[in-house]
Amino acid sequence: FETVYVSIASYRDYECRATLEDIFERAKYPERLRVAVIDQRTGEDDSCTEPRLPCSQDSTQTLCKYQPMIDVFEVDAKLSVGPVFARHLAHRMYRGEYFAMQVDSHVRFTQDWDVDLIGQWKSANNEMAVMTTYLSDIIGSIDPVTHKNHHPGRPIMCKTGYEGNGKLRHLRHGQQPEGIPGIHNQPTLHPFWAAGFSFARGHFVVQVPYDQYLPMVFQGEEISIGLRGFTYGYDYYTAERSVAFHMYAVKENKARRQRVKLFWENGSLYPGSGLAGMKRLNGIIGMGDPEDEYFTTDEDEYGLGKVRQKQEFFKLYGIHPETKTVEGNLCKFVGKPMQRKFIPFLRRNRMGIDFSKTDFEFVDPDPE
């Protein structure tokens, strides 16, 4: 049978424990899961992995029943330098499971999410497929009794642009559109990778590990992993059916989520580290200023692959690192047009799409 490794990096998040419980309670085969939690908290915060009552009082609690399948690494919150290092620690806890999934610490799952997600991954017929997206909001999305998906649309990643100033300028994927899937019985290709939900064969976290030398970096992590993964031959897809939903700070969850502390509260403890981290991140993936010097230790381990060139990524999706601009209206291409254009180049051995077979270059079809 196929095992699933799930990693969660949590920073002082009261929803972490409920997320962990939900992963097991909603799975059809919870015994096939192993979950690793990086729990960054203070003594005042709830533990992600401690059950609500001692197991001696109630051994039927989810976190008691599945305790042997949960690993936790606790970090004093003031030592936290952001999600990149936390997720690096989580990648180190991978132990060869068939699949590897990464999720945020405030997520809820649909019933039998595991078999549904594995089935959708298999329908891509691509060993290098990564199911990843910015999850839709939880409100009204899951039936409270059956735990089935009540959300007809699904998100797709096609919006990106540069933000920030000076050496902190980087490519960031913005709010993504949602809609009814136009492609059925297989996931839909899209250009980008999302940190809050990623599901792939386990070799993805081995080939494309989080860089441990990127302190106080937040927004840049997705283009770093996404571009590096592309050069190793991975292809990104959004699922036809969502199996997980995110608790955003909106509507009735707004006040509660806004009370959750963020790692930025430690910024004054590590002055200058964010700038140094961003210069390294952009330098390694070839999106920084050529004259920049950056910390190069283990650059090859956390660098680009050799299956594809980074220039292919920029050309395919209309990204111009030299001017730090992007072509507009990429969303008009992502979906059916992108699927029709690229899926025919899926290798016969299922080892990813061979983009060397196409000279496609995305250009804004409707420039102002």
Side-chain angles (χ1 to χ4, degrees), residues 220-240:
E221 69 174 300
E222 292 178 326
I223 189 58
S224 171
I225 295 287
L227 180 51
R228 289 169 55 210
F230 174 87
T231 63
Y232 272 92
Y234 290 97
D235 301 310
Y236 306 122
Y237 296 78
T238 187
E240 181 181 357

Side-chain angles (χ1 to χ4, degrees), residues 158 160 317-320 325-333 362-368:
C158 57
T160 195
Y317 305 127
I319 300 167
H320 306 293
T325 59
V326 300
E327 297 287 327
N329 294 302
L330 181 59
C331 292
K332 291 185 176 182
F333 172 65
F362 178 76
V363 178
D364 188 345
D366 189 25
E368 294 182 1

Side-chain angles (χ1 to χ4, degrees), residues 195-296:
F197 182 81
S198 175
F199 180 89
R201 280 295 313 276
H203 50 69
F204 181 69
V205 302
V206 176
Q207 297 276 22
V208 195
Y210 266 88
D211 187 344
Q212 65 176 315
Y213 302 109
L214 300 179
M216 306 307 286
V217 168
F218 179 57
Q219 299 293 359
E221 69 174 300
E222 292 178 326
I223 189 58
S224 171
I225 295 287
L227 180 51
R228 289 169 55 210
F230 174 87
T231 63
Y232 272 92
Y234 290 97
D235 301 310
Y236 306 122
Y237 296 78
T238 187
E240 181 181 357
R241 298 175 305 279
S242 296
V243 302
F245 294 89
H246 190 280
M247 187 175 291
Y248 293 100
V250 297
K251 299 179 181 178
E252 57 257 43
N253 291 325
K254 183 175 182 178
R256 288 192 302 161
R257 291 308 303 166
Q258 286 183 337
R259 287 199 298 269
V260 177
K261 301 290 186 180
L262 303 175
F263 77 95
W264 299 115
E265 66 180 342
N266 299 330
S268 63
L269 301 177
Y270 308 102
S273 59
L275 176 59
M278 189 59 72
K279 287 172 69 174
R280 173 182 167 92
L281 182 152
N282 280 326
I284 285 178
I285 62 175
M287 297 186 74
D289 296 326
E291 71 276 9
D292 278 349
E293 295 183 358
Y294 60 88
F295 187 63
T296 59

Side-chain angles (χ1 to χ4, degrees), residues 79-204:
L79 300 179
S80 174
V81 290
V84 175
F85 185 68
R87 287 168 172 154
H88 165 82
L89 294 175
H91 275 196
R92 285 192 171 198
M93 297 168 77
Y94 171 71
R95 294 295 181 269
E97 288 80 8
Y98 196 80
F99 291 107
M101 182 171 76
Q102 175 175 299
V103 294
D104 282 337
S105 56
H106 33 277
V107 172
R108 296 294 183 273
F109 292 82
T110 58
Q111 189 62 44
D112 298 342
W113 65 266
D114 50 339
V115 293
D116 190 359
L117 188 54
I118 290 172
Q120 292 191 71
W121 180 89
K122 288 181 176 179
S123 70
N125 199 34
N126 184 352
E127 173 74 10
M128 307 301 283
V130 182
M131 309 285 280
T132 182
T133 196
Y134 288 170
L135 298 176
S136 303
D137 186 63
I138 181 64
I139 297 172
S141 295
I142 300 178
D143 186 288
V145 177
T146 66
H147 306 291
K148 292 183 178 180
N149 183 343
H150 269 194
H151 193 87
R154 57 94 184 92
I156 192 166
M157 297 190 69
C158 57
K159 288 189 175 182
T160 195
Y162 279 86
E163 72 169 21
N165 299 307
K167 302 302 181 183
L168 291 174
R169 191 162 176 79
H170 62 279
L171 196 69
R172 179 195 177 190
H173 312 320
Q175 182 64 40
Q176 303 299 320
E178 292 197 23
I180 303 297
I183 296 170
H184 302 288
N185 302 315
Q186 60 180 310
T188 300
L189 275 172
H190 59 181
F192 306 125
W193 180 84
F197 182 81
S198 175
F199 180 89
R201 280 295 313 276
H203 50 69
F204 181 69

